[in-house]
Amino acid sequence: ELRSLDAELQQQLANLDNREFLVFHPAWGHFAAAYDLHQVAIEHEGKQPGGRWISEVIEHAREAGIRVILVQPQMDTKLAEHIAAQIGGSLVRVDPLAEDYPANLRTLARALLWILHEELSLRWHTLTEVLTRVIHETWWQRGRTRMKVSLLLIGETLVAVE
């Protein structure tokens, strides 16, 4: 099953336009290395970052076009939310300690694809299906319209809803 999962993830992540993402806690190094991605850690050596480091991370993220911050559900996200607002980015909650490792990696790959790959468009669905989990919430701006969008995992389908 792991070989099949690896092949699936290699194929899905091969053509990402932007290969960098922010992480609050650097728990995704092996995943990033395996799929030619680069994680930029906000936290340093298990300590809360100082103001200078936060400014450097924000500047780097803006210059590199990074729009994703991975956060663990067990952690406080206030600082990550602040940084996301500064870079026009979004938080993705992913648990590196999740019990179902293959499903968790698929969820992470789908979230990265949805946020990082500029050619993908939002797919709008009704919520008559069974909602499995809210993966990500963000605000989108289209012209003068600002709307809250949630990224949902419904069965094996990743969808965005207004």
Side-chain angles (χ1 to χ4, degrees), residues 34-52:
Y35 301 104
D36 192 30
L37 301 169
H38 179 68
Q39 72 173 356
V40 177
I42 296 169
E43 182 182 82
H44 183 66
E45 296 178 356
K47 299 176 185 167
Q48 285 282 62
R52 178 180 287 162

Side-chain angles (χ1 to χ4, degrees), residues 1 3 20 24 28 33 37 45 67 70 87-88 128 152:
E1 179 183 10
R3 284 192 181 117
E20 283 189 275
F24 193 82
W28 296 100
L37 301 169
E45 296 178 356
R67 297 182 299 142
L70 300 183
I87 65 172
T128 56
L152 311 171

Side-chain angles (χ1 to χ4, degrees), residues 124-143:
W124 301 97
H125 294 269
T126 62
L127 291 179
T128 56
E129 302 173 66
V130 177
L131 173 63
T132 304
R133 162 168 53 162
V134 175
I135 296 173
H136 170 76
E137 289 186 344
T138 189
W139 287 93
W140 287 90
Q141 180 110 17
R142 289 201 179 138

Side-chain angles (χ1 to χ4, degrees), residues 21-32 38-49 53 57 68-77 79-81 83 91-97 108:
F21 57 92
L22 293 177
V23 294
F24 193 82
H25 177 74
W28 296 100
H30 293 293
F31 175 85
H38 179 68
Q39 72 173 356
V40 177
I42 296 169
E43 182 182 82
H44 183 66
E45 296 178 356
K47 299 176 185 167
Q48 285 282 62
W53 177 247
V57 167
V68 177
I69 303 175
L70 300 183
V71 295
Q72 295 172 233
Q74 304 88 344
M75 302 183 85
D76 182 12
T77 60
L79 180 57
E81 289 169 0
I83 294 171
L91 299 185
V92 175
R93 287 172 179 78
V94 187
D95 188 353
L97 305 174
L108 175 57

